[in-house]
Amino acid sequence: MPQYAVLIYEKELPGGVADMPPEVMEANISAGDKIAAMGVRVVHEQGLQPAATARTIRKDGLVTDGPFLETKEVLAGFFVVEAPDLDTALAVGKLLPIMDGAVEVRPLL
């Protein structure tokens, strides 16, 4: 079955997960059951540390602080799911609460 990356971009909260509104946290937690009910398998899911902890390696080997792109939203976490098709993977992405960012769904090689 094809695999898709579901990438979650959000504006960082000063206190991280501790500052996440309870209704957003509940929506995140309940998404797992909804995803399973769709017949989609979550292969892996992972939240990420704040963008300030990231380091970027440039072509010449130079290591710089922070993420590759400086944007309002940062990559906050990701899922890898096995879904029958892109439409189903998009439906999974729509289950995730979006506070001030976006969810990107991308097929894996």
Side-chain angles (χ1 to χ4, degrees), residues 1 14 21 30 37 44-45 54 77 79 82 86 92 107:
M1 190 176 297
S30 67
H44 184 80
E45 61 183 310
F79 290 79
E82 286 182 347
L86 179 59
V92 168

Side-chain angles (χ1 to χ4, degrees), residues 79-99:
F79 290 79
V80 173
V81 299
E82 286 182 347
D85 53 42
L86 179 59
D87 288 338
T88 303
L90 288 169
V92 168
K94 288 179 180 179
L95 292 175
L96 304 174
I98 299 171
M99 293 186 299

Side-chain angles (χ1 to χ4, degrees), residues 11-62:
K11 182 177 171 183
E12 283 192 300
L13 300 171
V17 174
D19 283 352
M20 190 177 293
E23 64 275 12
V24 173
M25 182 63 79
E26 179 56 35
N28 276 314
I29 292 170
S30 67
D33 291 338
K34 294 174 184 173
I35 292 169
M38 296 168 65
V40 172
R41 185 173 82 90
V42 176
V43 176
H44 184 80
E45 61 183 310
Q46 191 70 56
L48 299 175
Q49 293 287 333
T53 64
R55 300 294 179 268
T56 300
I57 303 167
R58 304 288 172 179
K59 181 179 177 181
D60 60 2
L62 176 68

